[in-house]
């Protein structure tokens, strides 16, 4: 490696460049560079050109010119604007009146009202079958064959790999699926084998609705499919290139595999004690 390459590597910040580049940060800093360079041009054109070159180089290598720009954009830019540039788009919502996963799972005998709390729990029959199915799929080769079968892949080589927070499946170099973790993949594939015989009209459901049912079931997992430890839910702040969001994460305590991540919604103040008292 040349001296120049080593010097550039010391300056470069991969967390803010390449695929991780924050587009609002880049746009803001390019605008600042242009304004400052234009002002310097009235004093000295060579100085203005030099500043512009250094500014663009800094933005290219580091992601920004002004220090702390990523933090500033997260703090002062509106969330609706940052969301447009986020690398992790939110799934398109389906109106509850059109499709309610909870109602479907209740009608299918997959979940039922809990005996000791005002909530839903898995039925004993489904929980037993689902857990046994996950255990049978735990072997890597069995998991590959099952995924290929469910996706109707013929003759391709399925490969699994972890990439950051994602668990990705590829066939002959082409991505065919992505999950939060290996545990999430196990839960989904096992549920996809158990639900068709329980949910009326499963074959007619589009991929988005099937995904809603599979993802919704993961919140009921109590024993991690990957490491056998307990599963817990907690809130945390997730950082992306452009913004910080609070989510509820359902994850395995022992191995850290994440089963589910959903946006955290602040409790409605209207639902507090005063509202209840006035009911």
């Amino acid at each position: 490696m040349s001296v120049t390459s080593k010097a550039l590597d010391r300056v470069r910040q991969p967390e803010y460049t390449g695929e991780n580049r924050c587009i609002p940060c880049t746009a803001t800093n390019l605008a600042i560079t242009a304004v400052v360079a234009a002002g310097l041009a009235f004093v000295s054109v060579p100085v203005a050109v030099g500043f512009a070159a250094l500014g663009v180089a800094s933005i290219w290598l580091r992601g920004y010119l002004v220090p702390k720009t990523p933090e500033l954009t997260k703090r002062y830019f509106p969330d609706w604007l940052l969301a447009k540039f986020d690398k992790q788009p939110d799934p398109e919502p389906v109106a509850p009146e059109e499709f309610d996963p909870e109602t479907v799972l209740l009608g299918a005998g997959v979940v039922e009202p809990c005996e000791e709390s005002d909530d839903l729990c898995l039925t004993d029959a489904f929980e037993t079958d689902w857990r046994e199915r996950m255990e049978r799929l735990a072997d890597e080769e069995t998991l590959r064959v099952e995924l290929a079968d469910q996706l109707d892949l013929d003759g391709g080589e399925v490969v699994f790999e972890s990439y950051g927070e994602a668990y990705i499946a590829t066939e002959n170099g082409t991505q065919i699926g992505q999950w939060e973790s290996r545990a999430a993949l196990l839960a989904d594939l096992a549920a996809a084998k158990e639900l068709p015989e329980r949910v009326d009209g499963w074959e007619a459901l589009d991929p988005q609705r099937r995904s809603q049912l599979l993802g919704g079931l993961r919140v009921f997992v109590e024993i991690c499919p990957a490491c056998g430890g307990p599963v817990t839910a907690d809130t945390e702040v997730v950082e992306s290139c452009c913004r910080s969001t609070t989510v509820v994460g359902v994850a395995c305590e022992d191995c850290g595999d994440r089963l589910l991540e959903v946006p955290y919604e602040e409790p409605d103040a209207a639902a507090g004690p005063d509202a209840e008292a006035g009911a």
Side-chain angles (χ1 to χ4, degrees):
M1 182 181 293
S2 67
V3 175
T4 301
S5 297
K6 291 181 180 179
L8 290 177
D9 287 341
R10 284 197 296 268
V11 176
R12 184 178 286 111
Q13 293 193 132
E15 63 269 31
Y16 296 122
T17 57
E19 294 183 353
N20 297 322
R21 182 175 294 280
C22 174
I23 303 302
C25 297
T26 299
T28 300
N29 280 266
L30 285 173
I32 292 173
T33 301
V35 170
V36 174
L40 290 174
F42 288 101
V43 179
S44 171
V45 172
V47 171
V49 172
F51 176 82
L54 288 174
V56 171
S58 176
I59 296 169
W60 174 57
L61 290 170
R62 298 173 59 80
Y64 55 83
L65 172 65
V66 180
K68 303 293 184 180
T69 300
E71 289 80 2
L72 293 174
T73 56
K74 289 178 183 179
R75 179 177 301 178
Y76 296 111
F77 277 40
D79 190 67
W80 64 265
L81 176 61
L82 295 177
K84 293 181 179 296
F85 298 98
D86 206 324
K87 300 297 194 303
Q88 302 171 346
D90 296 327
E92 295 183 5
V94 175
E97 62 271 15
E98 295 180 6
F99 183 75
D100 181 16
E102 184 177 295
T103 300
V104 174
L105 294 174
L106 275 167
V110 173
V111 299
E112 62 184 359
C114 302
E115 294 182 357
E116 301 180 357
S117 63
D118 184 19
D119 203 349
L120 293 177
C121 296
L122 294 175
T123 61
D124 291 340
F126 179 79
E127 183 176 17
T128 298
D129 292 344
W130 190 23
R131 187 173 297 171
E132 289 179 351
R133 180 78 66 174
M134 284 188 278
E135 291 174 355
R136 291 199 295 271
L137 291 175
D139 174 75
E140 196 78 0
E141 182 59 29
T142 304
L143 195 61
R144 272 196 292 267
V145 171
E146 181 61 35
L147 180 60
D149 180 62
Q150 290 195 21
L151 295 181
D152 293 324
L153 303 178
D154 185 20
E157 182 182 359
V158 175
V159 176
F160 297 120
E161 60 181 342
S162 296
Y163 184 78
E165 296 295 327
Y167 194 72
I168 297 172
T170 60
E171 182 202 21
N172 298 332
T174 301
Q175 182 173 322
I176 57 175
Q178 178 175 319
W179 293 262
E180 285 87 343
S181 65
R182 187 174 187 275
L185 171 60
L186 279 167
D188 279 6
L189 290 187
K193 294 292 287 185
E194 295 298 328
L195 289 182
E197 61 187 39
R198 292 176 166 86
V199 175
D200 292 336
W202 171 267
E203 296 300 328
L205 294 177
D206 60 47
Q208 185 181 359
R209 286 170 169 76
R210 290 187 186 183
S211 179
Q212 283 184 284
L213 291 175
L214 296 176
L217 274 176
R218 292 188 222 148
V219 76
F220 296 101
V221 177
E222 297 181 350
I223 299 176
C224 180
C227 57
V231 173
T232 57
D234 201 359
T235 59
E236 63 180 89
V237 176
V238 176
E239 300 285 347
S240 69
C241 72
C242 299
R243 55 179 177 158
S244 301
T245 55
T246 302
V247 300
V248 177
V250 179
C252 304
E253 277 192 8
D254 292 348
C255 59
D257 268 18
R258 177 159 300 231
L259 286 160
L260 187 65
E261 183 179 289
V262 294
Y264 173 72
E265 296 182 1
E266 291 286 349
D268 189 350
D274 293 339
E276 292 179 1

